[in-house]
DNA sequence: CCTTCAATTCACCATTTGATGAAGTGTAGG
DNA sequence: CCTACACTTCATCAAATGGTGAATTGAAGG
């Protein structure tokens, strides 16, 4: 039974008919970005490829903490890693990710402090 | 002390020098988007203005659940509300929000299933 | 092989989160 | 004013989350 305020549907943006699995995946991505610690890692990696120790030093955190964050970011395919000798170098998975992060930061800046 | 893998900084994108408070705010926004339930509400509202009851029916959830989600989304300034008689109509705060959601969905679709 | 450095995994903890039902606002109509 | 409807707030609780130190894996170099 429809409530008396119901409106007839007229889809607008490219957001109509979003598959549940796609929705879950998108939420997973946003969730991964939704922690200041992980976001800082991504901001760093948007600027340059870095190894775990470097990130830990830059953010003044324990290496194990950074490793955990990277694990989650990687499980959402937001970062990639490449081994070089003893080091594992991480970088943003693709330009799309930096874009997403950048958009979020922009929006954060635009809405009144 | 620098690790032997250290690289000289050469900022690239518009993401260098991100204020801590901005970072926290951006993370807050992403966190709000990072739940399938809330994301579904936003996807609905990206298409049209709706009252709480309508949203609850559309998503087959309890009204109190939807109300809680809307409260969080509003606290992050992702949605606006407007009263009309007994009804409270909610809509996306601005086009930027739909854009952000849309980008996330796109990214979710692009990365292999 | 043995040691060292880099990084991950594991187990544990406190904290946060999200749904839920009961109770409380607030608006309109009789 | 009193009732009905629309919605929010509150308190509760199980589940998920994030950081931490100890133990583990993995790659050089002697």
């Amino acid at each position: 039974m429809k409530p008396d305020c119901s409106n007839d549907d007229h889809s607008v943006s490219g957001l109509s008919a979003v598959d549940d699995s796609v929705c879950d995946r998108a939420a997973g991505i946003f969730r991964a970005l939704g922690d200041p610690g992980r976001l800082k890692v991504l901001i760093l990696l948007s600027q340059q490829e870095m190894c775990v120790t470097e990130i830990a030093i830059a953010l003044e955190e324990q290496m194990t903490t950074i490793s955990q964050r990277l694990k989650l970011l990687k499980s959402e395919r937001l970062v990639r890693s490449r081994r070089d000798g003893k080091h594992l170098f991480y970088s943003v998975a693709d330009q799309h990710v930096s874009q997403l992060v950048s958009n979020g930061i922009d929006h954060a800046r635009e809405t009144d402090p």
Side-chain angles (χ1 to χ4, degrees), chain A:
Chain A
M1 202 247 296
K2 286 162 82 176
D4 60 353
C5 55
S6 74
N7 231 327
D8 281 321
D9 196 329
H10 49 104
S11 340
V12 178
S13 66
L15 289 173
S16 44
V18 179
D19 196 333
D20 248 39
S21 65
V22 171
C23 192
D24 284 0
R25 209 166 135 38
I29 291 169
F30 282 131
R31 190 176 114 304
L33 300 172
D35 173 79
R38 284 190 298 263
L39 198 51
K40 276 170 194 153
V41 171
L42 276 179
I43 290 171
L44 268 187
L45 296 183
S46 290
Q47 293 167 247
Q48 61 181 307
E49 188 183 47
M50 287 173 92
C51 72
V52 185
T53 308
E54 275 184 296
I55 301 174
I57 291 173
L59 299 180
E60 298 179 294
E61 310 244 29
Q62 307 249 353
M63 184 164 57
T64 168
T65 300
I66 300 300
S67 189
Q68 299 271 39
R69 291 183 191 167
L70 288 168
K71 184 185 179 178
L72 209 174
L73 291 173
K74 195 169 189 181
S75 77
E76 293 296 337
R77 300 202 189 80
L78 297 174
V79 300
R80 288 183 301 113
S81 65
R82 166 182 78 79
R83 179 174 281 277
D84 180 17
K86 292 189 200 172
H87 296 277
L88 271 171
F89 285 92
Y90 280 86
S91 54
V92 170
D94 63 64
Q95 218 52 40
H96 219 98
V97 175
S98 319
Q99 197 60 52
L100 214 49
V101 173
S102 188
N103 287 156
I105 300 280
D106 283 353
H107 192 65
R109 286 210 180 99
E110 280 167 28
T111 51
D112 52 347

